[in-house]
Amino acid sequence: MILSARRRILSSADKGRAMIESFTRHPHQVSETYGEHMAAAAGFGWTLVGAGMACLIHAVFPFLFEKTASACVARLHGTMALRGRLPRHDETLVQI
């Protein structure tokens, strides 16, 4: 009975460590804290939401936001490249 309770406690502790590890593994891989990674990812996400909204408006009114989405994508790529996540655009051959 006591052994069974001890196993449950240890099992709960292991689950807790595993959960914390699942939140910190990727940020640590990219040399960031959880908070730094959350702020960067949220910033990228909100920028993309804005670009998406501009695209939807542009779809109806083609004279509005003609270059907004492409400028956002280029800016995000530049930011990510500076952070060491992607190769710089001048190091990448892109065929369109």
Side-chain angles (χ1 to χ4, degrees):
M1 184 83 155
I2 293 174
L3 186 57
S4 176
R6 182 175 283 169
R7 283 186 187 152
R8 277 195 301 255
I9 291 170
L10 290 176
S11 178
S12 295
D14 290 340
K15 288 178 186 176
R17 277 192 291 278
M19 180 173 279
I20 290 170
E21 215 271 329
S22 68
F23 278 92
T24 59
R25 179 179 43 249
H26 173 64
H28 288 162
Q29 289 172 343
V30 295
S31 300
E32 293 176 340
T33 65
Y34 176 78
E36 290 169 337
H37 189 269
M38 181 175 60
F44 293 149
W46 282 115
T47 299
L48 289 169
V49 167
M53 291 174 70
C55 285
L56 292 171
I57 294 168
H58 175 75
V60 177
F61 304 103
F63 52 90
L64 296 175
F65 304 111
E66 293 179 3
K67 297 181 181 181
T68 302
S70 58
C72 285
V73 170
R75 189 174 67 248
L76 286 176
H77 180 272
T79 301
M80 287 182 173
L82 288 174
R83 296 175 77 218
R85 307 294 186 278
L86 298 171
R88 303 273 309 164
H89 76 286
D90 54 357
E91 298 173 356
T92 311
L93 178 61
V94 177
Q95 294 180 345
I96 299 174

